[in-house]
Each structure stands twice: as structure tokens, then as C-alpha cells.
Amino acid sequence: MATSNRYDILFEPVKIGPVTAPNRFYQVPHCNGMGHQKPRTLAAMRGVKAEGGWGVVCTEEVEIHPSSDVSPFAEGRLWSDADIEPLRWMTDAVHEHGSLAGIELTHSGFNASNLESRVPSLAPSACPVNSYYPSSARAMTRKDIRDLRHWHRQAARRSKAAGFDIVYVYAGHNLSMLMHFMSRRHNFRTDEYGGTLENRVRLTREILEETKDEIGDTCAVAFRFAVDELIGKAGITFDGEGHDIVAMLAELPDLWDVNISEWENDSATARFEPNEGYQDKYTRFVKQLTSKPVVGVGRFTSPDLMVKKIKDGTLDLIGAARPSIADPFLPNKIRDDRIEEIRECIGCNICVSGDNLCVPMRCTQNPTVGEEWRRKWHPEKIQPSVSKDRVLVVGAGPAGLECSLQLSNRGYPVLLAESGMELGGRLLKESALPGLSSYIRVRDYRSGLLLQRSNVDIYFESKINEQLLKELDIKDIVIATGAAWKKNGVGRQHHTPIPGLENINILTPDNIIPRKITDQHVTIYDDDHYYIGGVCAEQLVRDGCTVTLITPAAKASAWTENTLEQFKIQQRLLNAGIKIITEQDIESVDRKGINARCIYTGQLTNIQSEQLLLITARDPDTTLSNKLIDDNGQASCNYNSVQSIGDCLAPGTVASAIYLGHLAAREFQSKQGSDWYTDIDQREWPSMVWPANVTDSSSI
Ligand code: ADP
Ligand code: SF4
């Protein structure tokens, strides 16, 4: 029910060419690891966003032709008429809620290795392909350019047939052929498509015109354009060619969707771009050059800032990818004056890691994303309780908080017991480390709701043990007691303790925060490879320490490649004066110091250090579960059910703890942990049936 409030402006309809968006909430195209491989999963995920109030819901990039095959990544596909039907599943799901559906047509140029189609890659000028594959793209002939225009036109026609309302022409992220053509550093052609800016823009102009001609009577044509690449004059800049391109094409598209390039800049994590609206300084000029509506992004979650962006003439539509993943119901919550219920994106890019690892995306804040179709999970709805049994949740980290909240949502009475004085578990420590302050939102969203619930009691400073359990007399227990970092160096590289650790002062991330280490030389051994090694290094430098970071990986914080952060992390650590030693592990420690060992040659180097900070792996806290769960995974006889969740079950990401907490609450009094491994059916398509007329060569 719409309220007449200061956010009304966000709910005004916006005309986009021949179509009208019902409000200003615009889910811009975003990858998701589902794409053409999981079209039902995808359709359900997009449909939930429309249900949650996003007036426009777009696809990810959609390959228009086999020469734009970015496999193994799972993007959208519109290679032929056969691809229309699965895309219609998405448009139907979006239209069901009165929203518009947009499709981002893409030719990826030299970013496509064509691993599946096996046709040679194409580019404005010959060059190596952009992904890790030893092949090159060939320079396009004029015929190739005509073909590309034809493929785009065909894809636009198919988009209309699939029911889309907005059809994109895409020149962003350095991932698109059109951007490659426009770029001085990729286009060395000497014909009418190379040289001057006008020539380099020619193909984009032609494709915009042809797309309008093909489907512009009923569909809007959007142009997604990266106005700045953040590489200075070598690239497109908002005060150079970016500006000029917008001026040249100003009135041609029905909508400008503007951002910065590359993807790691557009989807910057909160560690590197802590503020909402961080793209404004680059994109705000666009509205001055066009009368067409403009959408832009910047991890917007605050309605006041959104209103400001509309009123000050920066944007017409509030674009969002990650905020719409973290909370598909963000628009409806603003509309209904339920601002405090918004699950704000924390800017961690775990969602992006799904796409990079070619699996359906997951989200730290929203455990239901990607599970809308497979598990039938809805971000705002959950099945009611099947009893009035009271549940004890032990531990108030991410897993315990999420489980308590969802049990409470189901209607179960919950007692949440926490041994500390605050809610949050690992989030309390980690959010105090450099660049991670947004992580506390994971706690705040859940604690804010839990503290208001009449069916939830929270006991602080209550370390649960067997004696207390007897006194409480609750028969259903969820254990969420977390994990502690190992102090013996065991991890991926070492399967047994590192010899000689008694010769040095050992630290772990667990004692970086409460016990400040200042003005010493600290060696970090990072065999974890996610963010914690890098942020501990930054913290120690802030505390006046000299830091050496040793890792068996080839890069610092190597796994953060998947969250688009690795380059920026290593750059920041090097700029902070941290010495990074890669491809080395620690063979041993003796009285002379730390013996670092080359993982290839075994050559040893001695490093003098006062402290050794081990970041290798975590031990699950199984104190309670060992007593309450038997070898068969069953609750001991005094209890109806006992379930471990989160880090005390299997230490992992915060996203994983939230997910396991959510899963346990959903399955409470239905399935227990050992049952979680059954009934996971991922098949979306009927199995392959050979055509009747094939000849088996073995029978010839
Ligand atoms: P997870 O990521 O799985 O949620 P955390 O380590 O973040 O795990 O949180 C675990 C929480 O459990 C911490 O806040 C810790 O203080 C609390 N805790 C650990 N053992 C007990 C216990 N026996 N009784 C109550 N709380 C506990
Ligand atoms: Fe935001 Fe992190 Fe969720 Fe992505 S995974 S939407 S960055 S909270």
C-alpha cells in the first residue's frame, strides 16, 4: 500500500521511448552464473525482483551469436530462435508483477574465446583474446561488420518475440565489441570504422539506429555506456571522449544506462568504494547532454540519497544490481515505510564470485537468492511452524542470528543464547578491520528485527554448557558456536603442524583486534587466500608494525580475484610498504627465525620476525555438538533435535554461515543436516535424446 511520504518521487512512472516504467527502481543488467544454463532458476530470481517492486528488471549480458560465446561463463544466449522460449520464462515472470523486462544484447568481441562454438574470435583489430586462453581474435572485414549488424538486428527481433520491453545496445565494462570499436587502444583500423572518434563510433551509431528500426515501435532501446575507464587518457574519460560520445549520440537511444569501466570499478567493493553513489562524479554530466532518461548505479540503498539524486538532476532512474540482489523487496519496503527492514548490500561481491566460478550466484545478505526456483525459497515468505516447540539457538554470529530470525518468522519461540556481551560473532571483529565496516550490516539487519520480536528471548553472557542445557529444558537445539583460527599452521599447504612454532610468538586473526600489536615486525603466513590476510596486514601497518606477507599462492589474497578485488588489494598492500613474498610456504621456525620455502624448488630463506600471524584454516567449535550429537548425526536421547550450523559445522564465508542458518530454519522439524545432502535436483532440462536418423559409425 503506497504511503504519501517523502519518497513518493521514487514511485513516479518514467516514460522510456514507447514503454513506461511503473517507478524509478531499475535493476540494471547483472551477471548471475545462471544464464542460459539455468533459465528456470534465472526466471524465478528475476520474477522475485519484479514482485519486490523493481519497475524494470533486466537480464545479464546476452550473447547474440556463437561468435560471442563466453563459455564457460553462464551468460544469456540468443543465438537462434530456439533460445526465445527460455527467455520468455523470464519476461513472463517479470510481467506478472507489472514490471518491464530489459535484455542486454551483447557481442563480446575479443572477450569471447568461443570455447563452445569453436569459431575464431572477432575484434576490430587482431589481438589476443582477453580471457585465459591461448588464442587470438582476427580483425573483422567489412563483411564481418555487416554480419555483426545483421546478428544484432536478428537478436533484437528475437528479443521482441521473447517479450522484452527494453532492448539494450551495450558498450560497457571493456567487455563489448562496440566498446572495443570505440576505444583508441583496441581499434587500429584504417577504414571508415577506425581513426577519428566519429569513425570509431560509427558501428555503435549504426547498431543503435538499426535496433530502433527493428523493434523501436514497441520496445525502448537502451544504450549502456561506460563513460570512464579510470585509466586516464589511454581510455575513455568522462571529460574527454566519454563526454564527446554522449554528445554525439545524445538523442539516439531512448535511455542512457551509464557507468564506469571495467567491471571491478563498476562493481567496486565497499573496501575500495565505501560510499553510496561513488560513480556520480563520472556520470552526472550525462543528463546535461540528453533529454532522454538516465539510469546510473552506485550501490544505492538509502532512499533519501535516491530522492536527492532525482531532485538534483543526476539521475531519472535509480539503477541497482547488488542492492537488488541483497534485497529484492527494497522498493516495496521503501513504499511501505519499512526502511529498517531493508537488507542493505554490504559490497562484498560474493555475488560476483558465483558468476566468476560459473555457479548460480549467492549473496551474503540474502540467502534465498539463486534458490527461488530450486528450493522454492522466497526472500520475504517462509512456511509456518509445525509445532509450538521452543528452540534454543546457541551463538549469535551470522549463522545463529539468521537461524533465529527465520525460526521466529516461522512462528517458533526462540531463545538465543550468546556467551559474549554483543550480537554479531565474527562480524564484530571483522567489521573493525580496515575496509570491512559494512559487514556489520549483516548483524544489524538481523538484530534490529530480532530485538523487536515477542517470540524471541536473547540471553547475553550465557555460555551454554551441558549443565545449563539441563536447566533450560529445551528439546530442540541449534548450535552456532563458530570456529577459531588454527595456531599450528595446518591448512591447504601443511597437513601437519609447522615444526618449531614454539620458537616464535604466534598470533591469529582472533587476537589481532583485542590485542593490539604495535611497532613490531610481523610476518603473516596467508594460506587462506581470502580477504582476512590482506586486512590484517593493513591493520598492522596502521598500528605501526612492519609487515611481511608470505603466501604459497602466486598473488596476495588470491581468491579475491573472484570478488574483483585482488589487483586493488595487492596494489594497496604494496603502497602501504608491505613486503609480499609469493609462492613460498613456511617450512619451519627455529631460533634463527622463520624458514620460508619456495614451493617449487624447496630453497629456504630465513626471515627475522618478532611475531608470526598464522592465517591458514579454522577449527570448528564442536564442544557442544560432540556431546549432543552421536556418530550417526542423531540428537542424544535427551533431545528431539540437535543441529550444528555455520562455522561450527564447516568454517567458511559469512555468506555460507547465513545460508546454513537459513537452511536449518527452513528445514526445522522436517529435515536435519544429514538429510540436506539428498533431494538436490538441479536438472532444468529433459535429458538428451538422440535424433532417430543418426548413424552409428561403429555399425558401418
Ligand atoms: P558463525 O559464523 O557460524 O555464525 P561466529 O563465530 O560468527 O560463527 O559466531 C559464534 C558465536 O557463538 C560467537 O558470538 C560466540 O561468542 C558464540 N558462542 C560460542 N560458544 C558459545 C556457547 N557455548 N554458548 C553461547 N554462545 C557461544
Ligand atoms: Fe551485496 Fe555482497 Fe550480496 Fe553481492 S553478495 S549483493 S555485494 S551483500
Side-chain angles (χ1 to χ4, degrees):
M1 185 52 207
T3 52
S4 173
N5 62 27
R6 63 186 188 278
Y7 305 128
D8 280 353
I9 195 171
L10 300 174
F11 296 92
E12 291 171 350
V14 180
K15 195 162 166 12
I16 308 173
V19 299
T20 301
N23 60 38
R24 296 184 190 270
F25 292 94
Y26 192 111
Q27 181 247 280
V28 294
H30 69 75
C31 300
N32 46 68
M34 302 164 190
H36 67 95
Q37 291 180 359
K38 299 213 182 304
R40 294 195 188 278
T41 304
L42 183 73
M45 180 268 288
R46 301 289 190 204
V48 163
K49 295 203 205 191
E51 185 190 348
W54 295 89
V56 179
V57 178
C58 297
T59 61
E60 61 287 350
E61 55 174 46
V62 175
E63 303 164 354
I64 61 168
H65 187 261
S67 61
S68 177
D69 158 22
V70 296
S71 52
F73 300 104
E75 308 304 330
R77 212 164 249 193
L78 202 38
W79 289 7
S80 74
D81 286 351
D83 295 315
I84 293 173
E85 191 197 340
L87 283 167
R88 185 167 272 290
W89 300 339
M90 171 192 155
T91 58
D92 285 348
V94 171
H95 290 156
E96 197 183 320
H97 302 284
S99 303
L100 300 179
I103 181 167
E104 185 181 55
L105 298 182
T106 306
H107 195 293
S108 297
F110 63 74
N111 197 57
S113 302
N114 299 338
L115 294 180
E116 199 174 334
S117 67
R118 302 184 71 174
V119 296
S121 301
L122 298 170
S125 306
C127 65
V129 295
N130 210 14
S131 46
Y132 299 108
Y133 206 76
S135 65
S136 297
R138 68 173 176 80
M140 291 167 77
T141 62
R142 281 205 179 83
K143 160 128 186 357
D144 293 324
I145 293 175
R146 284 196 300 278
D147 286 346
L148 174 71
R149 290 165 54 188
H150 171 64
W151 300 333
H152 204 282
R153 196 184 258 273
Q154 242 181 354
R157 182 174 48 71
R158 289 176 178 138
S159 303
K160 182 173 170 177
F164 285 99
D165 310 286
I166 300 174
V167 176
Y168 268 74
V169 173
Y170 174 50
H173 300 116
N174 199 26
L175 296 176
S176 124
M177 178 77 92
L178 297 182
M179 191 160 171
H180 302 156
F181 262 84
M182 287 198 274
S183 162
R184 275 177 307 208
R185 69 185 200 288
H186 298 313
N187 181 344
F188 304 102
R189 300 179 72 91
T190 52
D191 61 7
E192 68 275 26
Y193 289 97
T196 63
L197 182 61
E198 201 180 334
N199 280 356
R200 284 181 274 130
V201 172
R202 186 179 309 279
L203 180 59
T204 299
R205 182 190 288 280
E206 288 171 343
I207 285 188
L208 276 167
E209 286 169 351
E210 287 160 3
T211 307
K212 281 194 100 162
D213 179 60
E214 187 67 36
I215 47 88
D217 53 340
T218 57
C219 301
V221 175
F223 183 41
R224 196 177 205 194
F225 176 54
V227 298
D228 206 303
E229 299 181 84
L230 309 198
I231 52 171
K233 293 295 171 200
I236 290 167
T237 56
F238 76 102
D239 52 357
E241 290 197 338
H243 177 278
D244 298 345
I245 291 167
V246 176
M248 289 163 80
L249 302 174
E251 298 301 313
L252 204 43
D254 297 312
L255 171 86
W256 282 87
D257 176 345
V258 286
N259 60 6
I260 53 177
S261 179
E262 297 192 2
W263 191 13
E264 58 264 40
N265 294 324
D266 188 20
S267 292
T269 58
R271 190 167 166 191
F272 293 93
E273 288 291 356
N275 299 323
E276 280 179 54
Y278 57 89
Q279 303 201 13
D280 280 9
K281 61 176 180 272
Y282 302 103
T283 56
R284 68 155 54 99
F285 79 91
V286 177
K287 258 192 75 64
Q288 289 152 23
L289 298 182
T290 177
S291 67
K292 302 299 169 88
V294 176
V295 59
V297 292
R299 242 176 34 243
F300 293 115
T301 55
S302 310
D304 289 305
L305 184 63
M306 296 176 193
V307 169
K308 185 166 177 290
K309 293 293 147 208
I310 306 296
K311 286 193 172 161
D312 70 11
T314 313
L315 298 172
D316 298 293
L317 294 140
I318 303 299
R322 290 171 294 173
S324 75
I325 297 167
D327 197 338
F329 275 63
L330 181 148
N332 284 359
K333 289 177 183 175
I334 296 173
R335 181 196 65 189
D336 299 342
D337 250 340
R338 295 188 290 133
I339 311 291
E340 68 289 349
E341 290 179 38
I342 294 173
R343 265 190 315 275
E344 287 187 285
C345 169
I346 68 167
C348 64
N349 279 3
I350 278 292
C351 48
V352 173
S353 75
D355 186 61
N356 278 331
L357 295 167
C358 312
V359 290
M361 67 177 171
R362 61 257 6 251
C363 169
T364 302
Q365 278 283 54
N366 176 12
T368 66
V369 80
E371 297 288 11
E372 299 88 346
W373 183 78
R374 183 175 71 164
R375 291 193 190 269
K376 311 289 174 273
W377 284 1
H378 187 282
E380 304 298 318
K381 294 179 198 158
I382 194 161
Q383 74 277 27
S385 62
V386 295
S387 74
K388 289 290 157 216
D389 295 341
R390 197 171 191 216
V391 188
L392 170 66
V393 178
V394 185
L401 288 170
E402 174 66 13
C403 189
S404 300
L405 179 60
Q406 299 307 336
L407 286 169
S408 157
N409 284 342
R410 291 188 64 185
Y412 286 102
V414 176
L415 195 168
L416 173 59
E418 166 55 47
S419 60
M421 292 164 69
E422 273 186 87
L423 303 177
R426 64 184 282 193
L427 299 166
L428 291 170
K429 284 182 182 170
E430 292 186 21
S431 63
L433 288 165
L436 300 188
S437 60
S438 63
Y439 281 46
I440 205 65
R441 288 176 167 185
V442 175
R443 190 246 349 231
D444 290 348
Y445 162 72
R446 290 165 179 85
S447 61
L449 292 174
L450 282 169
L451 290 165
Q452 295 169 27
R453 292 291 163 86
S454 57
N455 63 348
V456 177
D457 293 314
I458 303 179
Y459 291 3
F460 292 96
E461 297 186 75
S462 302
K463 190 167 177 65
I464 298 296
N465 51 30
E466 273 183 297
Q467 180 55 36
L468 266 176
L469 279 174
K470 274 188 202 136
E471 288 170 24
L472 286 168
D473 192 30
I474 297 177
K475 298 295 178 203
D476 293 285
I477 319 287
V478 177
I479 305 173
T481 48
W485 286 95
K486 286 178 185 289
K487 297 180 180 137
N488 59 7
V490 169
R492 291 181 169 80
Q493 193 72 12
H494 283 275
H495 300 285
T496 53
I498 296 175
L501 291 181
E502 66 281 3
N503 292 308
I504 195 165
N505 196 18
I506 297 295
L507 304 168
T508 73
D510 290 325
N511 44 31
I512 282 290
I513 300 299
R515 184 177 139 189
K516 287 223 169 201
I517 313 297
T518 54
D519 306 320
Q520 296 182 40
H521 183 265
V522 181
T523 297
I524 298 176
Y525 177 56
D526 185 1
D527 193 19
D528 171 64
H529 312 292
Y530 193 20
Y531 58 81
I532 204 79
V535 289
C536 285
E538 283 186 59
Q539 178 66 48
L540 288 164
V541 168
R542 286 183 189 190
D543 293 339
C545 295
T546 316
V547 178
T548 301
L549 189 147
I550 302 178
T551 176
K555 297 173 176 181
S557 301
W559 196 82
T560 62
E561 294 260 17
N562 296 306
T563 55
L564 309 177
E565 294 173 290
Q566 195 284 325
F567 183 89
K568 294 178 186 183
I569 290 173
Q570 188 140 351
Q571 185 179 51
R572 184 178 275 183
L573 299 187
L574 289 171
N575 284 335
I578 293 161
K579 184 171 180 193
I580 299 173
I581 301 176
T582 58
E583 295 157 335
Q584 306 246 355
D585 72 353
I586 293 181
E587 187 247 11
S588 61
V589 180
D590 57 30
R591 290 212 181 119
K592 290 190 208 129
I594 297 165
N595 298 312
R597 172 177 57 186
C598 172
I599 60 166
Y600 298 108
T601 64
Q603 189 179 334
L604 296 178
T605 313
N606 189 264
I607 295 170
Q608 303 291 315
S609 199
E610 292 157 279
Q611 311 270 354
L612 175 58
L613 171 55
L614 291 173
I615 305 176
T616 56
R618 286 181 294 154
D619 282 320
D621 178 348
T622 54
T623 321
L624 274 181
S625 57
N626 284 346
K627 291 185 176 126
L628 305 184
I629 302 176
D630 68 20
D631 277 354
N632 292 314
Q634 301 300 315
S636 67
C637 55
N638 297 331
Y639 302 98
N640 291 336
S641 70
V642 181
Q643 175 66 62
S644 290
I645 57 171
D647 291 336
C648 74
L649 179 66
T653 58
V654 175
S656 163
I658 293 281
Y659 183 86
L660 291 173
H662 193 92
L663 178 65
R666 290 254 179 194
E667 304 287 7
F668 179 65
Q669 295 192 328
S670 153
K671 280 184 182 179
Q672 285 225 57
S674 50
D675 306 325
W676 291 346
Y677 297 88
T678 58
D679 295 341
I680 299 182
D681 189 350
Q682 300 247 51
R683 282 170 301 169
E684 299 210 356
W685 298 90
S687 54
M688 167 82 181
V689 180
W690 290 104
N693 59 352
V694 294
T695 308
D696 182 347
S697 59
S698 64
S699 66
I700 297 173

